[in-house]
Amino acid sequence: MLSERIPGWETVPEALRKREQWICWRAADTDDSVDGISLTPIDPTTGEYATFDDEDTWSGFEDAYATATASELDVDGLAFYPTHDGPFTAVELSACRDPETGALDDWARTVIETLDSYTEAAYDGQSIRIIVAGQPPSWTSGPIDICDAEFYIPVTGDRLSSTPATVTERTTELRGVYKAWKGATDPAEAAATLSAVDVQEFGGLPSEPGVDVDLSDTAVIERAQYGPAGDVFRRLWTGSSAGYANQTEADVAFCSQLAYWTGGDGEQIERLVRQSDRNRAEWVSLVSEGTLYDERTIEQALELTDDYYHPRDAL
């Protein structure tokens, strides 16, 4: 049986309420899901089917809330659609909570404490949803389910009182959870990894001191594509590996160029690669225990870079 489905206005974090990324949902009994319930995303304005790839089927929170609390469209709850270029990610922890007592499994408590952001009980009362600001390496599925886009997030507003009332930036921690879960066979194993490491180091990207360039992502791209090696940068940016032995060698060369323009900022290099056509599934694959391909590639690029752009060079 579903618990209270529509959140109170003030229980939803303001950072989410401000976005025009809300839909409603309608529940129905089904034999095709674990909990026997199927959710259908609904356009709050028309009552028709809402989809992740059509923002015209989304609304602001105020309109979605008005629809959900009225009776005309017969909807059961509210949901939020993250986007690829937006800051929000949901981490779903399945079947980890006693719906009667609220007691959590130890592994779930470890993930919740690691991410330390807005956390709520899901509509089934047995699962937990953590919403953070930050981009994960990729999505996952299973007991720890990371959803950053193309998945709507049913929001209950039933916050765990021990967690923040706000959505917090947690990119490094997300990377740590992702690496621990992808390398484990069960959530308890992932939690054991998280408990044993320094998450800031485990989930962080390699970086060298370099120089404080302080260019925006847009400025880096503009300077790099029209700089001394701009023709090479443009080819690499579009995903080409022409002139290199393989994709890995081309990836290192691309990251070396970005290292020059960013002053060796590993996090900015990662963001820029994600914006380019070099971004692909392999970019965040595990290449060894506790190491992702992007980390290894950026580290190799930083080791090869001993010269950095300095803003004075442009004067």
Side-chain angles (χ1 to χ4, degrees):
M1 180 127 183
L2 293 179
S3 57
E4 182 65 35
R5 303 168 183 177
I6 300 172
W9 183 287
E10 293 298 329
T11 65
V12 178
E14 183 181 6
L16 300 180
R17 296 202 311 264
K18 290 164 60 176
R19 299 277 176 154
E20 302 281 322
Q21 294 165 225
W22 288 90
I23 60 170
C24 298
W25 54 262
R26 183 179 296 132
D29 293 333
T30 180
D31 295 328
D32 298 330
S33 65
V34 175
D35 55 13
I37 297 169
S38 173
L39 304 187
T40 300
I42 300 296
D43 181 336
T45 302
T46 67
E48 301 297 321
Y49 188 72
T51 62
F52 76 89
D53 56 355
D54 185 0
E55 295 184 12
D56 288 340
T57 63
W58 309 351
S59 295
F61 180 78
E62 183 173 356
D63 290 339
Y65 187 84
T67 296
T69 53
S71 58
E72 286 80 0
L73 293 185
D74 186 30
V75 297
D76 298 302
L78 294 173
F80 181 86
Y81 260 123
T83 59
H84 285 294
D85 58 354
F88 302 111
T89 296
V91 180
E92 308 270 353
L93 310 182
S94 301
C96 63
R97 179 178 183 267
D98 185 321
E100 299 298 327
T101 66
L104 296 167
D105 290 348
D106 289 342
W107 69 265
R109 191 180 304 279
T110 297
V111 176
I112 292 168
E113 291 174 353
T114 298
L115 293 176
D116 192 27
S117 187
Y118 172 82
T119 302
E120 64 176 27
Y123 67 84
D124 63 1
Q126 302 177 61
S127 301
I128 290 296
R129 177 179 304 109
I130 310 165
I131 303 177
V132 303
Q135 295 295 321
S138 186
W139 60 273
T140 65
S141 61
I144 301 176
D145 191 1
I146 299 176
C147 312
D148 65 332
E150 302 182 14
F151 303 89
Y152 61 87
I153 307 170
V155 177
T156 66
D158 186 10
R159 179 175 65 89
L160 272 61
S161 60
S162 61
T163 66
T166 57
V167 177
T168 310
E169 209 291 323
R170 289 289 184 260
T171 293
T172 297
E173 291 80 3
L174 266 177
R175 288 180 62 86
V177 170
Y178 174 86
K179 288 170 63 177
W181 169 236
K182 292 295 286 185
T185 57
D186 62 65
E189 185 180 347
T193 298
L194 290 173
S195 298
V197 299
D198 180 329
V199 174
Q200 292 301 311
E201 293 185 4
F202 184 67
L205 287 159
S207 185
E208 292 290 330
V211 296
D212 186 14
V213 175
D214 196 27
L215 292 177
S216 68
D217 291 356
T218 300
V220 168
I221 295 169
E222 290 177 349
R223 283 167 170 75
Q225 65 180 337
Y226 297 113
D231 55 341
V232 176
F233 179 85
R234 288 191 294 272
R235 288 200 304 272
L236 291 169
W237 178 270
T238 58
S240 172
S241 297
Y244 297 92
N246 49 51
Q247 276 195 327
T248 297
E249 186 177 294
D251 288 340
V252 173
F254 183 55
C255 289
S256 296
Q257 284 217 28
L258 293 175
Y260 169 79
W261 290 104
T262 64
D265 186 332
E267 291 187 3
Q268 188 171 23
I269 294 171
E270 163 75 8
R271 288 201 310 272
L272 288 162
V273 173
R274 283 175 175 266
Q275 296 173 46
S276 78
D277 291 335
R278 304 210 72 80
N279 187 27
R280 58 194 188 279
E282 183 187 7
W283 180 245
V284 291
S285 61
L286 280 168
V287 292
S288 64
E289 184 177 355
T291 302
L292 297 176
Y293 179 83
D294 63 347
E295 296 168 350
R296 187 184 69 180
T297 303
I298 293 171
E299 185 172 13
Q300 290 173 340
L302 292 173
E303 290 174 353
L304 294 171
T305 305
D306 57 9
D307 182 32
Y308 301 99
Y309 170 77
H310 196 289
R312 285 199 304 266
D313 297 341
L315 298 178

